[in-house]
Amino acid sequence: MQVTTKAIVLTSLKYGDTSLIVKAFTESDGMKSYLLKGVLSSKKGKLKAAYFLPLMQLEIVANHKNKGTLESIKEAKVTLPYKSLHTDIVKNSLVLFLAEMLGNSIQEQEEDRALFNYLEYTLHWLDEHEAPPNFHLLFLLNLTKYLGFYPDISDQRGAYFDLLEGSFNRTPSLNPLIQGDEIVHFKKLLGINFDALQTVQTNKALRQELLKKVILYFELHLHGFRKPKSLAVLNAVFE
């Protein structure tokens, strides 16, 4: 079936000498993987390798057989040309990390318009603004809303956040916890928008510890989740 849909590129791997395997989150069908034959050698075709950088926003014309095999793309065009996401070193490190997190987290091969709209909005916001040091923390916490395990914020009076239960407790449990200085800043991130990120001040050590806990939160709630390899690069950039 031929479809025309928006798509956000997550990963792009070289296949052979001239081809790419691209994983993308589509507006129409959720997660899809495509084989782009000869795209690295073709200079006159409708597909260009530069379109398939991480988190590029495209409109594609694709053939979806929906048989669990690699699909194909006939045409592609960029819907939002980025000003800074792939040229600013900090933003580019964020892009690589977030693309890997998304690729490891989104598993559904079905339409999820709310999640697609969230990704569209946040990537446009990041492209237009200076990258706040806590952007990735808020991005990932908000992402859990669409993946089904956003923290229970009905009662935040507890001094401990139980990562396995996803709720605040007044007494510690044997499960992995967010506590101490981390819990104060964790609470500040819950429920705010990206424009308010400048009000959340954290140092490097605290930010890295919080990120470790947030990634562990994903591990505990997503079957088969893998830790991102790009985390070390992200930490180095933010030092």
Side-chain angles (χ1 to χ4, degrees), residues 113-218:
R113 190 96 17 131
L115 174 55
F116 193 91
N117 290 344
Y118 169 70
L119 298 181
E120 268 192 323
Y121 167 77
T122 52
L123 294 174
H124 182 234
W125 189 96
L126 181 61
D127 189 49
E128 293 287 335
H129 295 78
E130 290 291 322
N134 294 307
F135 176 87
H136 52 306
L137 291 173
L138 182 58
F139 179 96
L140 293 176
L141 283 173
N142 286 347
L143 179 62
T144 65
K145 293 179 184 177
Y146 305 95
L147 300 178
F149 55 99
Y150 190 70
D152 181 358
I153 58 174
S154 59
D155 185 354
Q156 298 184 46
R157 289 174 291 180
Y160 305 92
F161 180 75
D162 187 313
L163 289 165
L164 187 60
E165 298 297 330
S167 60
F168 292 92
N169 296 329
R170 300 190 185 190
T171 56
S173 69
L174 296 177
N175 296 328
L177 301 170
I178 296 178
Q179 57 187 312
D181 289 341
E182 295 170 15
I183 195 75
V184 176
H185 292 86
F186 181 71
K187 289 179 179 180
K188 289 180 180 179
L189 290 167
L190 296 173
I192 68 169
N193 59 35
F194 288 94
D195 291 320
L197 267 175
Q198 300 295 350
T199 65
V200 182
Q201 302 295 324
T202 57
N203 59 41
K204 178 188 71 174
L206 180 59
R207 189 163 54 247
Q208 289 186 357
E209 285 304 309
L210 262 178
L211 182 56
K212 286 180 185 177
K213 295 291 177 63
V214 171
I215 291 174
L216 177 57
Y217 190 47
F218 275 69

Side-chain angles (χ1 to χ4, degrees), residues 204 207-208 232-239:
K204 178 188 71 174
R207 189 163 54 247
Q208 289 186 357
V233 175
L234 183 71
N235 287 336
V237 168
F238 276 106
E239 283 186 359

Side-chain angles (χ1 to χ4, degrees), residues 62-73:
N63 289 318
H64 286 177
K65 295 180 180 178
N66 299 316
K67 294 182 178 179
T69 56
L70 293 172
E71 313 284 16
S72 60
I73 296 176

